[in-house]
């Protein structure tokens, strides 16, 4: 008898998908100990590259849905019908919908029900009617404070299904990672293998989570002056930003637009420290075990989204006026929460590279009693 077919759903960006990785891997073994015969991930386009790097995943299905993302598409009946058909054709025995604390899993749960999936699981504050077989209640306050880190919260949902989860989880990627482009390797030379490289990633998925370009440029110049081989990274749409941040320093390497997401993981794994905002590459660095100097914007709760499982120095004013607004564009002139001095960045990198910053302690055990049969509830 073959094991069940499982679909994990995470319709977010790369960083969110990476933080769901330990939970997705834990779905491979069912509550009865039977190993799933198939474990697929349904991801949005911004998270597909990360999903393809996760261990234990057999296939990644990509869908752009109207209830998730920074720029969601308009509802398209044909596309939604096609997604239902895809779920039905997958013959999944269980769909587990992962979301952040401020998102609803119910649109996806409805599609899974229309596809006749027999078991649907999600964390949900709203009354789910008959859409969920297991409804998990996450701890925390409405503003995002007082809750678990996203990695731990995702594992809480897995625990609610009756499965076991690791006591001290760490993010991980599928290995071997892809080789770096030859021209980039040649440009970096022996510095990459000798622990002298620092990756600076100045962009972010939303502007509020990245420092102003002048702040990042000053940090790059200071790191270069301190003797580090700085590698400025960015996606294809961030080449102009990277050129501005690189400035005129001759030893700084501009790797923007030159790597895939998997190759960026390779570069981060070989680097001493990553300096990056609250965005995907911060969590990619954590997934390969690289310490992070985190330009962490006050707009999000740091206890939920800080890089997980590696030494971290948080750079920024978490008490700034934009605190917990979840703003995509900083509402305060001058972006003061990330107006970090160059010397502060240099000091953080030095401390992280020297091993002077400890790894945060393991997460507290997750209480499985937060799982309740959805059908046994009263409407809230």
């Amino acid at each position: 008898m073959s094991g069940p077919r499982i679909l994990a759903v995470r319709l977010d960006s790369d960083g969110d998908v990476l933080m769901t990785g330990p939970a997705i891997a834990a779905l491979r073994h069912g509550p009865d100990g039977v190993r799933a015969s198939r474990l697929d991930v349904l991801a949005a386009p911004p998270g597909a590259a990360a999903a393809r790097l996760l261990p234990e995943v057999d296939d990644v299905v990509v869908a752009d849905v109207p209830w998730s993302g920074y720029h969601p598409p308009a509802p398209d009946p044909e596309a939604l019908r096609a997604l239902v058909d895809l779920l039905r054709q997958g013959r999944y025995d269980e769909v587990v919908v992962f979301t952040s604390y401020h998102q609803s899993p119910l649109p996806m749960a409805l599609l899974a029900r229309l596809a006749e999936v027999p078991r649907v699981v999600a964390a949900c504050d709203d009354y789910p009617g008959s859409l969920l077989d297991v409804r998990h209640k996450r701890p925390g306050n409405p503003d995002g404070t007082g809750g678990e880190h996203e990695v731990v919260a995702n594992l809480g949902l897995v625990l609610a299904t009756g499965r076991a989860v690791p006591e001290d989880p760490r993010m991980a990627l599928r290995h071997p990672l892809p080789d770096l482009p030859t021209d980039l390797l040649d440009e970096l030379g022996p510095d990459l293998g000798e622990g002298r490289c620092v990756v600076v990633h100045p962009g972010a998925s939303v502007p509020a989570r990245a420092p102003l370009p002048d702040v990042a440029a000053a940090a790059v110049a200071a790191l270069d002056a301190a003797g580090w081989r700085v590698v400025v990274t960015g996606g294809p749409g961030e080449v102009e930003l990277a050129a501005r941040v690189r400035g005129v320093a001759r030893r700084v390497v501009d790797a923007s637009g030159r790597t895939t997401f998997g190759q960026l993981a390779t570069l981060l794994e070989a680097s001493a420290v990553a300096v990056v905002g609250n965005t995907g590459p911060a969590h990619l660095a954590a997934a390969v075990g690289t310490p992070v100097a985190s330009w962490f914007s006050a707009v999000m709760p740091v206890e939920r989204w800080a890089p997980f499982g590696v030494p971290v120095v948080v750079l920024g004013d978490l008490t700034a006026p934009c605190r917990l607004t979840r703003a995509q564009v900083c509402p305060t002139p001058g972006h003061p929460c990330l107006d970090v001095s160059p010397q502060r960045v240099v000091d953080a990198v030095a401390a992280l590279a020297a091993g002077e910053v400890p790894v945060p302690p393991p997460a507290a055990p997750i209480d499985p009693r937060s799982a309740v049969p959805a059908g046994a509830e009263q409407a809230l």
Side-chain angles (χ1 to χ4, degrees):
M1 179 179 176
S2 63
R5 299 169 65 90
I6 311 298
L7 179 68
V9 179
R10 188 70 206 237
L11 296 166
D12 284 294
S13 298
D14 286 323
D16 300 293
V17 172
L18 291 170
M19 289 186 287
T20 313
I24 292 173
L27 290 175
R28 179 61 84 169
H29 296 279
D32 52 5
V34 176
R35 182 176 172 84
S37 63
R38 188 164 191 87
L39 175 58
D40 293 344
V41 173
L42 177 62
R52 295 188 181 102
L53 291 176
L54 296 180
E56 297 285 356
V57 172
D58 293 309
D59 193 17
V60 176
V61 182
V62 183
D64 200 6
V65 298
W67 62 85
S68 186
Y70 297 117
H71 305 286
D76 182 343
E78 289 297 325
L80 294 176
R81 277 192 286 268
L83 182 53
V84 171
D85 290 342
L86 187 148
L87 296 177
R88 186 178 290 112
Q89 292 163 10
R91 297 180 289 111
Y92 296 110
D93 299 289
E94 184 178 19
V95 167
V96 181
V97 185
F98 294 97
T99 56
S100 294
Y101 73 93
H102 53 83
Q103 298 170 326
S104 173
L106 297 183
M108 189 65 228
L110 175 59
L111 296 192
R113 284 293 190 227
L114 293 176
E116 302 178 280
V117 175
R119 179 173 159 93
V120 184
V121 177
C124 186
D125 287 332
D126 298 321
Y127 175 63
S130 60
L131 297 181
L132 297 178
D133 295 288
V134 175
R135 174 191 178 193
H136 174 62
K137 299 295 290 290
R138 290 175 51 160
N141 304 315
D143 64 358
T145 59
E148 299 161 324
H149 191 281
E150 288 296 292
V151 172
V152 178
N154 291 324
L155 286 164
L157 178 57
V158 174
L159 195 61
T161 70
R163 293 172 169 87
V165 300
E167 292 183 2
D168 184 13
R170 289 290 182 265
M171 294 191 293
L173 301 181
R174 187 189 299 270
H175 281 74
L177 293 171
D179 294 333
L180 288 173
T182 302
D183 61 337
L184 183 56
L185 276 173
D186 291 343
E187 194 171 349
L188 291 169
D191 287 341
L192 186 62
E194 296 175 4
R196 294 200 292 266
C197 287
V198 171
V199 168
V200 176
H201 190 90
S205 54
V206 295
R209 301 184 199 174
L212 294 177
D214 289 348
V215 171
V220 166
L223 287 167
D224 178 65
W228 293 102
R229 190 67 183 277
V230 181
V231 187
V232 179
T233 59
E238 296 173 318
V239 172
E240 184 178 337
L241 170 64
R244 179 176 174 182
V245 167
R246 174 183 177 174
V248 297
R250 284 183 286 181
R251 295 188 70 254
V252 176
V253 174
D254 187 346
S256 62
R258 299 169 66 184
T259 64
T260 64
F261 196 69
Q263 289 171 328
L264 178 58
T266 303
L267 176 60
L268 286 164
E269 187 176 48
S271 299
V273 178
V275 184
V276 57
N278 177 28
T279 192
H283 305 294
L284 191 62
V288 296
T290 298
V292 180
S294 175
W295 277 312
F296 199 97
S297 170
V299 297
M300 303 298 290
V302 68
E303 63 264 39
R304 290 188 185 265
W305 275 285
F308 185 82
V310 295
V312 177
V313 173
V314 175
L315 304 170
D317 180 5
L318 299 182
T319 66
C322 62
R323 180 178 181 269
L324 303 179
T325 60
R326 299 212 320 261
Q328 294 187 32
V329 177
C330 183
T332 306
H335 203 9
C337 73
L338 292 184
D339 188 10
V340 179
S341 73
Q343 189 59 49
R344 176 79 176 106
V345 176
V346 171
D347 291 345
V349 167
L352 288 164
E356 297 172 359
V357 180
V359 177
I366 308 162
D367 185 359
R369 292 171 295 178
S370 59
V372 292
E377 300 175 5
Q378 299 295 319
L380 300 181

